[in-house]
Amino acid sequence: VEFRFIPETESLVYSFTQRELDVIQPPPAPDTIERLRGLESAGAEVQVKPGPVWEHLNFQFGENNRNPESLNEYAAFRQAIAYAINPIELAALVGWQPVTSMLRPEVEVEGPWAQYGQDLDKARGLLAQACAEAGRDCQSDPPRLIFSTTSNADARPRIAEQLQSDLGEIGIDVELQLEDSQIFFGETFDDGNWDVGWWAWVSSPGAAGSVTALQVVDPDAPPPAGSNYYRWGTPGSSVADDAVDRFRDILAILRETVDPDELTALTSAAEQILAENVVLLPIGARSVVGAVWADKLHGYEMNSSRAGHTWNIEFWRRIDL
């Protein structure tokens, strides 16, 4: 087996088209995938699967929220946003695979966020409910949302523009404040100085991986000791309700139990709490792409997890020799 490291996507794909390479794992750009699929009639096989990196929209509940008019504390407001956007179209916009679970995004199963889907009438009704709860006349004074994420690559700015358009349809004035990744994942991230944000987490397999995923929203673990950068339910949070208490209790049991059935039931219940309260909103898993000249090599089966593409290399075999 000979491994070649080709950093430029164009060179990598060109070498594959010339059959200088038998297997490649290119970046998941939609135009790259389309170009590779154009080779299928010549004997290539292209596999596209969701990977372990999942992108999500999220809310800041801490005291340092940069938007003094934020309505994040109202569940109806967060639910309105969940119904205002089309997660499938949003993921497809940048070539991601839509996901409805934060526990195993690389496994194509229906998760608790599947209850949402674009329904503008329902979104407008929920927004009106949130405005009433806040004692605000949102007809004359539309709610303002500040959206922050990284500006370095193309995908997230495109997502930001689409969100601005979708949320504008239900009467939310979205201001985009995109930042260089060093700033966003530096002082902004550490200080909780955003309103509505966007970034990615990386999932891990198995029950332990599910518990680890849920712990990023642990009410008792704000940064720097923990990973609850959202500050949901943490000291000083704008949200402290029964949902936070139930989630905290479930996490406490998860850290102690080793019973597989109990782990499955509890992780599912904890994720359901996060989905019903729209603490965050998983949108898409970054695609993982594998291309092989199937008329030359048999046995290749792409693995989109951290195991990598060579996970079963002992079963690969050449058929042209």
Side-chain angles (χ1 to χ4, degrees):
V1 178
E2 178 181 329
F3 291 89
R4 297 183 186 176
F5 299 91
I6 304 175
E8 298 83 17
T9 301
E10 179 60 32
S11 298
L12 178 69
V13 174
Y14 177 78
S15 296
F16 183 76
T17 63
Q18 298 302 303
R19 289 183 175 261
E20 297 171 5
L21 303 171
D22 300 317
V23 179
I24 63 171
Q25 181 183 348
D31 56 342
T32 298
I33 296 172
E34 183 178 356
R35 181 177 173 186
L36 289 171
R37 282 179 168 157
L39 301 172
E40 290 181 327
S41 60
E45 179 182 301
V46 182
Q47 300 180 26
V48 182
K49 296 181 179 180
V53 180
W54 55 281
E55 303 266 351
H56 69 297
L57 180 146
N58 55 74
F59 303 87
Q60 175 55 259
F61 302 96
E63 297 174 326
N64 290 336
N65 190 316
R66 67 174 58 178
N67 181 9
E69 303 174 24
S70 177
L71 297 178
N72 288 353
E73 64 185 279
Y74 300 101
F77 176 72
R78 305 191 300 271
Q79 291 164 350
I81 291 175
Y83 281 112
I85 65 178
N86 186 324
I88 296 176
E89 290 185 359
L90 207 58
L93 180 68
V94 290
W96 297 335
Q97 306 296 306
V99 296
T100 57
S101 171
M102 62 181 284
L103 301 185
R104 295 295 304 278
E106 75 278 11
V107 179
E108 299 179 66
V109 297
E110 185 174 285
W113 278 271
Q115 63 188 287
Y116 302 106
Q118 193 172 54
D119 186 330
L120 298 182
D121 289 337
K122 183 174 289 188
R124 293 186 183 102
L126 285 163
L127 182 60
Q129 177 183 332
C131 291
E133 292 174 3
R136 177 170 179 167
D137 183 359
C138 291
Q139 293 294 324
S140 60
D141 184 19
R144 176 170 170 260
L145 179 155
I146 300 176
F147 181 79
S148 301
T149 189
T150 57
S151 60
N152 302 65
D154 293 336
R156 288 174 180 163
R158 292 176 65 189
I159 290 288
E161 292 176 358
Q162 187 61 49
L163 284 171
Q164 186 178 46
S165 175
D166 289 346
L167 298 182
E169 289 290 323
I170 66 167
I172 298 178
D173 182 13
V174 178
E175 178 182 339
L176 303 182
Q177 293 187 6
L178 278 56
E179 301 173 338
D180 181 89
S181 59
Q182 290 188 337
I183 297 175
F184 183 74
F185 290 117
E187 56 193 69
T188 297
F189 208 53
D190 292 341
D191 296 340
N193 185 23
W194 77 89
D195 181 24
V196 175
W198 188 291
W199 70 78
W201 290 111
V202 183
S203 70
S204 298
S210 295
V211 175
T212 299
L214 293 170
Q215 288 184 144
V216 303
V217 205
D218 183 356
D220 296 325
S227 300
N228 186 354
Y229 290 93
Y230 321 99
R231 276 82 172 177
W232 179 68
T234 63
S237 173
S238 61
V239 175
D241 54 18
D242 290 343
V244 172
D245 293 337
R246 286 187 286 119
F247 187 82
R248 179 185 285 112
D249 292 343
I250 291 174
L251 279 187
I253 301 172
L254 282 172
R255 295 189 182 102
E256 297 177 355
T257 184
V258 293
D259 181 274
D261 292 336
E262 188 175 25
L263 281 166
T264 299
L266 288 173
T267 54
S268 177
E271 190 181 28
Q272 187 67 40
I273 291 173
L274 298 178
E276 289 177 355
N277 291 273
V278 194
V279 177
L280 49 81
L281 189 61
I283 297 296
R286 295 184 193 172
S287 300
V288 178
V289 182
V292 58
W293 284 110
D295 59 353
K296 185 177 181 181
L297 183 71
H298 275 192
Y300 170 78
E301 180 63 34
M302 189 184 77
N303 189 325
S304 60
S305 74
R306 294 184 180 184
H309 287 221
T310 57
W311 69 286
N312 72 334
I313 197 169
E314 67 271 26
F315 296 110
W316 297 6
R317 66 185 188 278
R318 294 285 296 273
I319 60 174
D320 62 335
L321 298 178

